[in-house]
Amino acid sequence: MTEPNEIYYPNIKQSWGILGIVILFCILFAPINLFLDKLVGKELTFLIYYLFSMGIPFLIFHLIRKKRTGVSHYNFALSNVMILALVSIVTISIQMGVTTPIINLFPMPEFIKNAFIEMGQQNGVFGFVLIVIAAPIIEELIFRGIILHGLLKRYSPVKSIIVSSILFGIAHLNPWQFIAAFIIGVFSGWVYFKTNKILLSIIIHSVNNLVGFLSMYIMDAETLMDISLTDFYGGNLNLILVIVVSVILALSCIYILNTEFEKEKEDGITQNETAIIE
């Protein structure tokens, strides 16, 4: 239960408001793409557009949270190498064996394919900075660092994680990315709930995006969008094996992660008790 005098931000209604503002800023700053495209190139233009359309809303939400709650920091503490390796393995396994097969069950309209192809062609330095660095940092600060953090103060972990993941999925503005964002958002949200470490959520998001970025870099974006998942994995048997192995690997690593998180929690309690005694 929350204390009567404590103020938490955001609640569910305010979280939907945050999503609305994010979408609004994406629309408001869209003209940047028209003005800068011919001057600095498509990749740098989209990076600048993203930093304005997502960075400014983050600063607004950060200042609101600071004013209402007095909280202005985010936990960027780093976990041990084993945890970093495990969250990376789970992320890749989920993408290869869960989200990609599910997404491929739904036919994609040509205009959506063209949008993904255009995005996939941004495989240079600025594209890397945007997809692997900027997006994971800003989006995780908004959806886990602010939204989920606030929801966990008011609601159950399951409700908080599901709501924040739904909002995260909707923010991508298409059903195909919604599926991937929702599923990886649930995992990222669970890790954040267990550790309160935003850096782990950023790493999960970054690894997820890196796999997609490398796929587009290694294989032509247009070919990648047209090839069937069965052909991509090298046949039906390989596809089934990838799905089964990925799911088993993800679940096994999540189990080990949960054990490691409990150890970290116990170690933290022990250290606090020792400090009090001293």
Side-chain angles (χ1 to χ4, degrees):
M1 295 294 291
T2 60
E3 294 297 326
N5 294 327
E6 286 187 295
I7 300 175
Y8 297 118
Y9 173 84
N11 57 29
I12 290 178
K13 184 178 179 180
Q14 291 166 333
S15 297
W16 280 99
I18 288 174
L19 174 63
I21 292 172
V22 166
I23 294 173
L24 177 62
F25 270 74
C26 287
I27 296 171
L28 289 176
F29 282 101
I32 286 179
N33 292 292
L34 298 175
F35 295 135
L36 292 182
D37 194 355
K38 293 181 180 180
L39 293 175
V40 298
K42 190 160 292 188
E43 276 196 31
L44 181 54
T45 294
F46 199 70
L47 174 60
I48 294 170
Y49 161 72
Y50 183 86
L51 292 175
F52 275 97
S53 62
M54 293 295 289
I56 293 176
F58 164 68
L59 291 176
I60 292 171
F61 308 142
H62 171 76
L63 292 174
I64 292 173
R65 186 180 78 149
K66 181 178 179 182
K67 182 177 180 180
R68 294 190 180 184
T69 68
V71 177
S72 60
H73 64 278
Y74 303 88
N75 186 358
F76 283 95
L78 191 63
S79 293
N80 61 56
V81 175
M82 176 182 283
I83 288 179
L84 295 177
L86 287 170
V87 297
S88 298
I89 292 170
V90 173
T91 302
I92 296 170
S93 298
I94 288 174
Q95 188 177 59
M96 291 184 65
V98 182
T99 58
T100 301
I102 292 175
I103 290 169
N104 275 267
L105 293 175
F106 302 94
M108 189 178 291
E110 202 63 34
F111 75 95
I112 295 290
K113 277 188 179 181
N114 292 334
F116 279 120
I117 289 171
E118 185 175 358
M119 188 183 302
Q121 290 171 343
Q122 298 183 30
N123 55 11
V125 174
F126 296 122
F128 179 86
V129 171
L130 168 62
I131 296 169
V132 183
I133 300 175
I137 292 174
I138 296 175
E139 290 174 19
E140 290 306 314
L141 284 171
I142 292 174
F143 289 95
R144 250 61 67 178
I146 293 178
I147 291 179
L148 180 57
H149 183 86
L151 294 180
L152 285 169
K153 301 291 186 179
R154 289 173 172 263
Y155 312 102
S156 70
V158 172
K159 186 174 184 178
S160 301
I161 292 169
I162 294 297
V163 169
S164 63
S165 299
I166 289 173
L167 296 173
F168 180 53
I170 293 173
H172 289 78
L173 299 177
N174 69 78
W176 294 271
Q177 283 184 296
F178 172 88
I179 294 170
F182 173 78
I183 294 173
I184 207 67
V186 170
F187 174 57
S188 180
W190 175 75
V191 170
Y192 184 81
F193 160 65
K194 284 290 188 177
T195 65
N196 197 38
K197 294 179 179 179
I198 193 65
L199 188 57
L200 283 177
S201 292
I202 291 172
I203 289 171
I204 290 168
H205 196 150
S206 182
V207 169
N208 181 74
N209 286 10
L210 178 61
V211 173
F213 180 85
L214 290 177
S215 298
M216 295 291 190
Y217 186 81
I218 294 170
M219 184 179 290
D220 176 72
E222 191 168 354
T223 303
L224 192 60
M225 292 304 301
D226 288 333
I227 192 173
S228 69
L229 189 62
T230 303
D231 290 337
F232 182 76
Y233 282 153
N236 287 320
L237 180 59
N238 286 348
L239 173 59
I240 293 170
L241 286 174
V242 168
I243 293 174
V244 172
V245 171
S246 295
V247 171
I248 293 173
L249 189 58
L251 292 175
S252 301
C253 290
I254 288 172
Y255 176 80
I256 299 171
L257 274 172
N258 191 57
T259 303
E260 289 297 313
F261 293 154
E262 292 301 321
K263 285 181 182 178
E264 280 194 347
K265 186 177 179 181
E266 290 174 4
D267 290 343
I269 292 173
T270 302
Q271 290 174 4
N272 288 336
E273 289 176 347
T274 303
I276 292 172
I277 293 173
E278 292 176 350

